Amino acid sequence: MAQSSSGASDMAQQGAQWLQGLKETAMSMTQREKKDEDEGYSPFHGLQKSAVLQECRCFNDREINARRCITILTKILWLLSQGDKLTRLETTEVFFGVTKLLQAKDQQLRRLIYLVLKELKPSPEEVIIVVATLTKDMNSKMDLYRANAIRVLGAIIAATDPTLLAQIERHLKQALVDRNCFVAASALVSGIHLMHVNGEVVRRWVNEVQTALQSDNQSVQYHALALLHQIKRQDRLAISKVVASLTRTPLKSALAQCLLIRFAKKVMEEDPSGETRDRALFDYLEASLRHKSDMVIYEAASAICSLTNVTQRELSPAITVLQLFLCSAKPCLRFSAVRTLNKVAMVHPIAVTPCNMDMEGLINDGNRSIATLAITTLLKTGSESGVERLMKQITSFMSEIADEFKIVVVDAIRAMCLKFPQKHRVLMTFLSNVLREEGGFAYKKAIVDTILIVIGKVPEAKEAGLAHLCEFIEDCEFTLLSTQILHLLGMQGPSTQDPAKYIRFIYNRVVLENATVRASAVSALAKFGIQLNYLRPSIILLLQRCLFDNDDEVRDRATFLVALLKGIEGGGVGIGGLNARQLLMEPLGLPLHAIEISCKEYLAKPSDVPFTLANVTVAPEMLQKERKAAATKAATAAAADNPTTARAAPERHVEAEADLLSKLPQFVHLGQRFSSSKRAALSESGTEYEVSCLKHVYSSHLLLQFSVNNTLEDQLLENVTVAVDVSSTPGLAFESELPCSAVPFGQPGDTFCCLRRVEGLPIGSFGCTLKFLVKDVDPAKGMPEEDETGYDDEYHLEELEIAAADFMKRVPVVDFREAWDTIGGGCEVVETFSLSYNSLKQAMDAVIDYLGMQICENTGNPAESARTHTVLLSGVFLGGVQVFAIVNLRTDSAKSVGMRLTVRSAEMGISQFVASSVA
Amino acid sequence: MGLFKRLFGQITPGKNKVRILCIGLDNSGKSTVINWLKPKKAMAQDVVPTVGFSVEEFTKNGLSFTVFDMSGQGRYRNLWEHYYKEVGGIIFCIDSTDHIRMCVAKDELDALLEHEELRSVPILFFANKMDLPQAVGPVQCVQNLELSKITDKPWHIAASNALTGEGIDEGITWLGTQMGRAARAK
């Protein structure tokens, strides 16, 4: 009995244990499942590279175990895809092991071998060993072998020796039109890769690629289109032809359709005629909105939305489609739609407003990314009253979203701040809160940029914004942001109500931070010292403490600035013809490099006259370099997707560059530049040589800046000049020219021609001829042969016109009426004209163009249906004479517009000259 | 037993698979030799210089051979050694009309004989291109390459003409028996 009872208790114990075990397994299983969801459990998790390499030894076995090898190859591929790097020696070992497997016939193994061969990227000397085998496979009867061999061979040739392509070209050409879609697609993809290394050979395949384009298979058609585009990439005309013809015959493949939409958009954007959009292509985009595949619909909608200067009417069908997507059950569609709408909302908030209702529904979407985008879009399109509510929503989940979307939110808030300046308090508080949270550099930078912009645009927010920034730099780990903020404090701080309170924050940086931040803190301090007399002594004291800093830059700056501040105290002048305030607070108009060269020259040959910046000259090469630097800067600004700065930057840059022209050693005598015209094209775009001209007016000279772009790949132009025939224009005389030494393909160069104004105000047009020395260039090498002497050639350009507008500078006045009355009617000229224009607006634009004057008091926007309109214009004429004009326009008939022009200025001659310039 | 094994081997050729390496200077006729050994319908019409290597298969004397036909061009020769591991036998082709480069062939051969992985691996030499008038005999080849100094592995030289197949069968049969012996010894 005892035994049996003990047996029973044993059983019970075992049962309990078993139950316990079961429970534990179940628990661990649920845990693992949870883990699965979190990080995607992989069978290869925790795989060791060395262990796999060890296993690779079995590739050498006499009998190949296909199963085992497949597993090993998969592991290798997994390692490579995870970013594990094999050393050179390891690669070699694995590679030769894999090549031995080529004897195997197992299809699955074979496929993996091809993949590994492609992914391993062995050294060129070694990889060549498989070429013969692959060539053999390329001609095998198995489609699987053929297709894969083509891909691997293509990759090998692209990576090692492009000349090998000639040997297998015949096979590839056949493969392009192969019946098997896998083979054809492989050949096309190889073609795309090979295009970069050996374009000449690939270009010969056009006919085969065209045939492949007719294929019924989705992926073949897609790749064929991609390759065709690659082949014709250089030739804009051919591309637009291809696109135009394909848009008429719909493609079967949705992927190809998407690609075609992208190409069509590109063609529309690059259209040289610019203004008028290609109707047929746009209709195609619109028709694609009714395609049955979601992918194509979205592609078309997003293409339309991202067109440059798209109109409201063009946008509306695309928006309607996106609105439908917003309610889709698929998160992917919802996301892409709301993302595109978010972008559109930046430029056309009104167009997106109809979707607001649907977007409200997405605020609580389970997917945080969708919710974020929906809210930020609403912030951009919504009304002022909704701001608080939306901000509350965002704050609730700001910590749950990724940095990337936080940046989107911050961008939206920036737009909001500029739209509703009254709301700056709410938004600034939000910004300062998020600034305190953890975040990456890009995120913090976005916040700081936003605060900077808001401070710039909304004066009331300045004090609060600066306070937030001061607090931020107390604990900022990013040197770049610290220096940026310190610079801003230096610029803005002195003009606040209580500048002294910033001094503490800045000086703390000198004590606590790294050298770069210290240096900028020192500069910032000095800016306070220069502008505020009562603070100067204390700042000199603070700066003197920095004189013993252990960093060179900080010490140098401190020494210089102390000297400068003491100079102001002592009433001394500044350096190089500039006073202290100019030196510190205003940007230098010259490239630093040029100043450096001039300084060196001055030091080499010191004279009694002190060095001044006015004597600095700039070499033409430096001008080119400056332009390139500015262009990249503008590009990055544009890439940063900051529409306001991106647009303003190039304009400012053109001005700055024009100012530098008179610093060219040849043109120093011209003096201060008065004005510059708009760029006028002297040849049609798309011709052999594209030439455009900028006219710069100086007090007694006219400087013509010709930009020459060589569009011929096989030519190098040297000693390029533009000969100007001024014999027919009285009052102008040719003075000098500055040739451009070389204009290679695709790199525009500038050549200058300086004309002297002998008497009066010369107006008229004169012929121009481009003269140059041509050298033939092998496009592959990009350089002419050593012994190539070249030959002289000419190229006839269109006539260059000099109009009255060139001598006028657009300068606005604050109060037009008062200025008009002040100048009086002493030198008033009134003329009436009948202009043959279809609309009032056209006539107005043309007249303003002729006069080259600035529209005042927002009179440049006549109502659509108005029959009469008055425009107020002001400007400054050459020599600094103020000119005002009132233009009264009246629609006489459908084809003509009547105009009365009243011009007033201080000089009768100028009034008459301006008035007659319209005729 | 031997008979049974032979029969059994015939039925399941997978059991008697051997891997051999075919090397030699460029233009010595490696690919042509291999080409002749292939089944009639798999034979290539014209043989072009091999780039890298190519894998060929054929059956002879109840053994199924997998041959790595290596390229003999100078830049590929140092890659041969990657394939020495676990190899069953080696075919070394000699262009017996190329007197000048015989010393190059000897250098390559010496390097091969020194190699660790190839200890006691049988080597078959083909003194190829016997049909041409300026060809030297196999005895002369043995002298030029100092083959008599090889002591640590079995070797054999056969005069051959790969275009007609003369002498090749004889050589391969020798190689087959050698490898069979080696397999049995294991």
Side-chain angles (χ1 to χ4, degrees):
Chain A
M1 185 63 208
Q3 213 177 1
S4 79
S5 81
S6 79
S9 69
D10 256 13
M11 287 249 296
Q13 215 165 4
Q14 273 178 2
Q17 266 178 2
W18 180 75
L19 262 176
Q20 183 68 28
L22 209 67
K23 218 188 242 169
E24 269 167 19
T25 0
M27 288 271 280
S28 73
M29 257 168 77
T30 46
Q31 262 170 8
R32 192 188 302 159
E33 258 168 32
K34 223 178 220 169
K35 212 171 167 189
D36 276 3
E37 282 166 14
D38 285 354
E39 52 196 82
Y41 179 74
S42 150
F44 297 130
H45 192 74
L47 198 59
Q48 288 291 314
K49 184 174 83 169
S50 51
V52 179
L53 291 177
Q54 197 84 22
E55 285 184 85
C56 284
R57 294 217 179 129
C58 82
F59 296 160
N60 295 320
D61 286 356
R62 211 167 294 182
E63 289 289 329
I64 289 169
N65 182 343
R67 259 262 185 72
R68 191 156 163 228
C69 291
I70 287 172
T71 328
I72 299 170
L73 290 181
T74 321
K75 283 180 187 168
I76 293 175
L77 283 174
W78 189 81
L79 283 177
L80 289 174
S81 70
Q82 295 295 306
D84 251 324
K85 291 266 180 307
L86 298 185
T87 63
R88 235 188 109 100
L89 210 70
E90 287 163 349
T91 311
T92 309
E93 202 170 305
V94 174
F95 172 71
F96 282 106
V98 172
T99 57
K100 282 176 204 167
L101 296 180
L102 279 169
Q103 57 180 302
K105 293 217 168 42
D106 187 286
Q107 291 228 4
Q108 217 179 343
L109 176 59
R110 200 77 184 198
R111 207 166 60 197
L112 281 167
I113 294 172
Y114 290 122
L115 275 177
V116 172
L117 285 181
K118 213 164 57 171
E119 293 304 317
L120 268 180
K121 301 196 177 55
S123 70
E125 305 89 68
E126 291 162 7
V127 77
I128 221 83
I129 198 116
V130 289
V131 169
T133 319
L134 292 174
T135 320
K136 208 174 95 190
D137 287 348
M138 216 162 66
N139 297 313
S140 91
K141 289 196 180 61
M142 305 277 281
D143 286 331
L144 176 90
Y145 290 8
R146 261 161 65 206
N148 278 310
I150 287 171
R151 279 175 192 256
V152 181
L153 210 49
I156 290 176
I157 289 175
T160 56
D161 185 4
T163 49
L164 271 178
L165 182 56
Q167 289 176 28
I168 60 155
E169 190 196 351
R170 191 167 51 93
H171 305 301
L172 278 181
K173 251 181 162 175
Q174 279 170 5
L176 284 174
V177 289
D178 197 276
R179 263 202 317 265
N180 184 291
C181 57
F182 186 25
V183 175
S186 299
L188 288 165
V189 172
S190 299
I192 293 172
H193 288 305
L194 290 167
M195 191 67 205
H196 302 292
V197 291
N198 197 343
E200 263 171 77
V201 174
V202 181
R203 275 192 205 104
R204 289 202 290 259
W205 302 350
V206 173
N207 287 334
E208 282 79 9
V209 177
Q210 294 269 21
T211 321
L213 196 55
Q214 308 301 323
S215 162
D216 286 335
N217 185 278
Q218 293 242 348
S219 94
V220 173
Q221 200 171 45
Y222 168 61
H223 289 125
L225 182 60
L227 181 55
L228 194 65
H229 182 258
Q230 282 276 323
I231 290 176
K232 309 213 163 177
R233 191 178 37 167
Q234 307 268 351
D235 190 349
R236 206 161 53 194
L237 210 62
I239 292 258
S240 57
K241 236 188 234 167
V242 168
V243 170
S245 72
L246 284 177
T247 49
R248 263 174 260 132
T249 53
L251 295 165
K252 284 198 193 71
S253 155
L255 281 171
Q257 193 93 352
C258 288
L259 204 57
L260 185 59
I261 289 173
R262 291 191 185 181
F263 294 154
K265 182 184 160 237
K266 218 165 158 200
V267 169
M268 286 165 82
E269 306 255 280
E270 285 174 357
D271 195 358
S273 57
E275 303 300 314
T276 55
R277 191 162 285 159
D278 192 331
R279 232 31 260 180
L281 286 182
F282 187 79
D283 288 344
Y284 166 70
L285 289 189
E286 225 174 56
S288 301
L289 289 175
R290 294 184 289 276
H291 198 270
K292 54 183 184 297
S293 160
D294 283 343
M295 182 166 60
V296 177
I297 299 177
Y298 172 69
E299 192 65 47
S302 108
I304 291 179
C305 290
S306 58
L307 279 175
T308 40
N309 48 45
V310 62
T311 62
Q312 205 82 254
R313 201 170 57 78
E314 288 170 326
L315 262 180
S316 66
I319 300 287
T320 318
V321 168
L322 291 175
Q323 192 174 1
L324 287 178
F325 279 0
L326 284 181
C327 314
S328 159
K330 293 182 198 156
C332 162
L333 284 182
R334 288 204 303 275
F335 175 74
S336 43
V338 78
R339 186 157 161 251
T340 312
L341 287 174
N342 187 23
K343 275 199 193 128
V344 178
M346 298 241 195
V347 199
H348 299 282
I350 301 163
V352 185
T353 335
C355 307
N356 277 4
M357 278 304 286
D358 301 283
M359 224 121 43
E360 293 269 355
L362 291 181
I363 291 183
N364 296 320
D365 197 295
N367 186 324
R368 286 297 179 222
S369 312
I370 295 178
T372 314
L373 286 166
I375 290 187
T376 48
T377 315
L378 282 172
L379 281 178
K380 283 171 201 150
T381 58
S383 59
E384 198 166 349
S385 55
V387 173
E388 266 101 6
R389 187 173 56 85
L390 290 169
M391 293 307 289
K392 209 179 251 172
Q393 285 272 6
I394 290 189
T395 324
S396 68
F397 65 82
M398 196 68 181
S399 56
E400 294 170 36
I401 54 179
D403 264 15
E404 198 185 331
F405 288 105
K406 287 184 187 166
I407 293 172
V408 175
V409 172
V410 172
D411 282 345
I413 287 173
R414 170 170 53 209
M416 282 282 282
C417 251
L418 302 182
K419 208 163 107 191
F420 307 123
Q422 305 89 310
K423 289 281 171 206
H424 71 86
R425 210 173 299 276
V426 183
L427 299 168
M428 271 303 204
T429 321
F430 176 78
L431 285 175
S432 73
N433 281 336
V434 291
L435 197 55
R436 268 186 226 121
E437 279 166 23
E438 287 291 301
F441 173 70
Y443 174 45
K444 291 279 156 121
K445 186 168 181 346
I447 300 174
V448 170
D449 283 348
T450 305
I451 296 182
L452 295 191
I453 288 171
V454 173
I455 288 175
K457 293 280 160 66
V458 188
E460 305 92 68
K462 192 159 108 181
E463 299 262 343
L466 288 180
H468 290 318
L469 291 175
C470 281
E471 195 187 318
F472 174 59
I473 54 169
E474 285 286 336
D475 184 23
C476 171
E477 54 195 313
F478 306 109
T479 304
L480 195 85
L481 291 181
S482 289
T483 49
Q484 197 180 359
I485 292 170
L486 283 170
H487 174 77
L488 179 93
L489 285 177
M491 297 309 267
Q492 303 278 353
S495 55
T496 51
Q497 277 181 349
D498 183 14
K501 74 175 175 191
Y502 299 110
I503 303 285
R504 182 174 63 85
F505 288 106
I506 300 175
Y507 190 69
N508 277 347
R509 304 279 67 73
V510 178
V511 181
L512 297 169
E513 296 279 357
N514 62 31
T516 320
V517 179
R518 286 206 302 276
S520 48
V522 164
S523 296
L525 279 179
K527 280 173 191 154
F528 280 82
I530 280 178
Q531 298 189 23
L532 304 164
N533 293 330
Y534 69 97
L535 281 177
R536 196 172 301 134
S538 356
I539 287 186
I540 292 179
L541 201 69
L542 288 177
L543 287 178
Q544 271 167 341
R545 289 188 199 164
C546 304
L547 289 177
F548 305 105
D549 197 286
N550 49 16
D551 183 74
D552 288 352
E553 172 75 20
V554 180
R555 229 171 26 239
D556 285 355
R557 283 198 193 191
T559 315
F560 169 69
L561 293 168
V562 166
L564 207 62
L565 290 177
K566 281 190 174 159
I568 299 177
E569 290 280 85
V573 284
I575 297 164
L578 297 173
N579 62 32
R581 176 181 274 266
Q582 280 172 322
L583 267 178
L584 275 194
M585 307 301 286
E586 287 165 19
L588 285 171
L590 286 167
L592 290 174
H593 194 52
I595 301 179
E596 187 192 343
I597 291 177
S598 301
C599 285
K600 276 185 186 154
E601 277 170 12
Y602 183 81
L603 286 177
K605 279 181 282 178
S607 64
D608 295 339
V609 194
F611 177 82
T612 68
L613 284 178
N615 292 347
V616 175
T617 57
V618 182
E621 299 85 54
M622 210 182 290
L623 212 59
Q624 287 275 3
K625 225 182 275 169
E626 281 288 307
R627 176 178 311 166
K628 237 177 243 164
T632 49
K633 222 180 186 175
T636 45
D641 205 10
N642 192 343
T644 43
T645 52
R647 216 173 302 140
E651 275 169 36
R652 214 178 318 134
H653 160 64
V654 168
E655 285 288 304
E657 190 190 300
D659 274 337
L660 282 181
L661 287 180
S662 51
K663 296 285 182 191
L664 289 170
Q666 287 86 346
F667 303 126
V668 172
H669 63 284
L670 300 185
Q672 195 71 32
R673 182 178 61 94
F674 173 73
S675 72
S676 292
S677 72
K678 281 190 206 152
R679 199 170 277 277
L682 295 184
S683 65
E684 280 174 31
S685 66
T687 51
E688 295 96 316
Y689 315 111
E690 293 172 346
V691 182
S692 60
C693 178
L694 272 175
K695 293 164 276 186
H696 305 288
V697 179
Y698 294 86
S699 57
S700 60
H701 290 86
L702 208 61
L703 184 63
L704 305 176
Q705 178 183 7
F706 297 96
S707 301
V708 183
N709 183 19
N710 172 13
T711 63
L712 297 179
E713 208 174 351
D714 54 353
Q715 283 192 358
L716 170 72
L717 310 186
E718 285 189 359
N719 201 15
V720 182
T721 55
V722 174
V724 180
D725 178 21
V726 287
S727 55
S728 58
T729 318
L732 268 183
F734 175 79
E735 189 173 276
S736 67
E737 64 182 6
L738 178 63
C740 185
S741 53
V743 183
F745 164 71
Q747 293 174 27
D750 284 331
T751 166
F752 298 91
C753 180
C754 181
L755 305 174
R756 191 156 39 85
R757 243 168 5 101
V758 183
E759 56 171 347
L761 294 165
I763 283 183
S765 52
F766 39 79
C768 302
T769 316
L770 188 68
K771 293 190 171 173
F772 46 84
L773 184 78
V774 187
K775 283 188 178 175
D776 289 330
V777 170
D778 179 4
K781 276 185 274 176
M783 286 301 289
E785 300 290 333
E786 286 291 323
D787 52 349
E788 171 89 42
T789 50
Y791 52 92
D792 286 312
D793 202 356
E794 289 188 353
Y795 186 75
H796 200 72
L797 300 174
E798 281 167 34
E799 292 202 325
L800 179 70
E801 196 175 4
I802 294 185
D806 291 332
F807 301 103
M808 185 74 82
K809 196 150 70 172
R810 289 167 188 254
V811 177
V813 286
V814 184
D815 188 345
F816 184 85
R817 282 291 160 197
E818 196 190 317
W820 178 262
D821 292 338
T822 319
I823 204 155
C827 305
E828 188 181 89
V829 176
V830 181
E831 299 246 15
T832 52
F833 301 93
S834 176
L835 310 168
S836 44
Y837 285 103
N838 290 337
S839 77
L840 207 65
K841 175 95 175 124
Q842 275 178 12
M844 183 189 80
D845 288 344
V847 169
I848 293 171
D849 236 27
Y850 275 124
L851 293 174
M853 293 165 80
Q854 176 72 36
I855 304 166
C856 292
E857 298 181 1
N858 233 345
T859 50
N861 300 309
E864 293 251 336
S865 54
R867 295 185 54 78
T868 59
H869 184 65
T870 303
V871 190
L872 310 177
L873 298 169
S874 84
V876 172
F877 198 76
L878 183 62
V881 182
Q882 282 229 309
V883 182
F884 301 101
I886 296 181
V887 183
N888 297 303
L889 294 162
R890 189 185 69 243
T891 319
D892 285 342
S893 67
K895 286 253 177 266
S896 86
V897 176
M899 176 179 86
R900 195 179 65 150
L901 176 66
T902 319
V903 181
R904 283 186 185 182
S905 78
E907 279 178 45
M908 195 61 194
I910 291 175
S911 298
Q912 277 169 350
F913 179 78
V914 172
S916 63
S917 66
V918 177
Chain B
M1 190 63 191
L3 179 74
F4 178 72
K5 204 167 192 181
R6 212 180 210 172
L7 277 173
F8 196 70
Q10 292 277 349
I11 301 161
T12 55
K15 282 283 171 230
N16 279 350
K17 254 181 159 176
V18 289
R19 188 155 89 205
I20 55 176
L21 210 55
C22 183
I23 50 183
L25 296 194
D26 46 317
N27 196 33
S28 59
K30 295 173 296 301
S31 301
T32 321
V33 168
I34 304 301
N35 193 35
W36 194 86
L37 285 164
K38 281 197 282 187
K40 283 278 173 290
K41 56 181 180 195
M43 266 190 205
Q45 286 302 313
D46 48 344
V47 177
V48 292
T50 310
V51 183
F53 77 101
S54 74
V55 190
E56 307 290 351
E57 288 182 352
F58 59 87
T59 318
K60 267 269 148 41
N61 305 335
L63 280 174
S64 102
F65 288 83
T66 305
V67 186
F68 282 75
D69 177 13
M70 306 302 294
S71 169
Q73 290 165 36
R75 55 197 280 220
Y76 302 122
R77 279 181 216 149
N78 54 353
L79 299 178
W80 290 349
E81 60 176 349
H82 292 287
Y83 294 86
Y84 289 169
K85 212 177 229 172
E86 293 284 329
V87 77
I90 292 202
I91 297 176
F92 195 100
C93 282
I94 306 157
D95 180 354
S96 50
T97 61
D98 191 352
H99 312 289
I100 301 160
R101 289 205 301 164
M102 203 61 95
C103 55
V104 182
K106 181 173 167 11
D107 283 349
E108 294 293 342
L109 179 65
D110 288 346
L112 182 144
L113 293 173
E114 296 281 298
H115 205 278
E116 195 66 18
E117 306 269 1
L118 294 179
R119 189 158 291 164
S120 74
V121 170
I123 301 190
L124 168 65
F125 296 92
F126 278 122
N128 208 5
K129 307 195 184 178
M130 272 304 148
D131 50 326
L132 296 177
Q134 65 271 42
V136 296
V139 181
Q140 187 66 37
C141 288
V142 170
Q143 276 176 4
N144 283 349
L145 299 178
E146 299 179 9
L147 296 185
S148 45
K149 286 188 181 166
I150 305 175
T151 52
D152 61 339
K153 48 186 75 110
W155 64 271
H156 179 80
I157 186 158
S160 68
N161 173 8
L163 295 174
T164 58
E166 211 172 297
I168 288 179
D169 267 341
E170 179 221 325
I172 294 296
T173 312
W174 176 86
L175 194 61
T177 44
Q178 284 298 323
M179 284 189 293
R181 201 173 291 162
R184 241 166 284 143
K186 272 182 189 173

